[in-house]
Amino acid sequence: MSVIVIQTFELKQDKFEDGIKNLRLIQNFRNEQYDHRVELLSPISGEDHTYALVSTYEGLAEMELQNKKMFEDEEFKELIGEFFLENIVQGSIYSQLYRTITGLSKDSEKDKSKK
């Protein structure tokens, strides 16, 4: 079962260009160096400076392992540190974790048809 992490945050208006560049660097670095997928979402509606990173992991244990690896990596810490300190509005990060729901097994379908 996959775990999906959605992190929304507000970019500082005066650091918008630097923030987008930094986000793309973080996205590329994570996709190339680690075993999970990261997407960058831009707003279509709502707050125009609120962006999101969506990370997909193969499970909770994999999420923990990948996060441990990332925060032991000096190059990643440099990228993320600049992003947090320079480019986003303090206190604007909101994180949500979701897990995918697995499909019904054949036994569950048989039980349902008996009712």
Side-chain angles (χ1 to χ4, degrees), residues 37-55:
R37 184 85 189 132
V38 177
E39 296 294 331
L40 174 59
L41 304 180
S42 64
I44 293 176
S45 64
E47 305 280 331
D48 65 346
H49 283 80
T50 299
Y51 285 74
L53 283 175
V54 178
S55 307

Side-chain angles (χ1 to χ4, degrees), residues 37-77:
R37 184 85 189 132
V38 177
E39 296 294 331
L40 174 59
L41 304 180
S42 64
I44 293 176
S45 64
E47 305 280 331
D48 65 346
H49 283 80
T50 299
Y51 285 74
L53 283 175
V54 178
S55 307
T56 305
Y57 302 88
E58 290 303 317
L60 267 174
E62 188 63 27
M63 180 186 79
E64 292 293 331
L65 177 63
Q66 294 303 312
N67 283 336
K68 184 177 188 281
K69 286 180 180 180
M70 285 188 296
F71 287 100
E72 290 176 350
D73 185 324
E74 293 301 320
E75 189 175 352
F76 177 74
K77 287 194 295 189

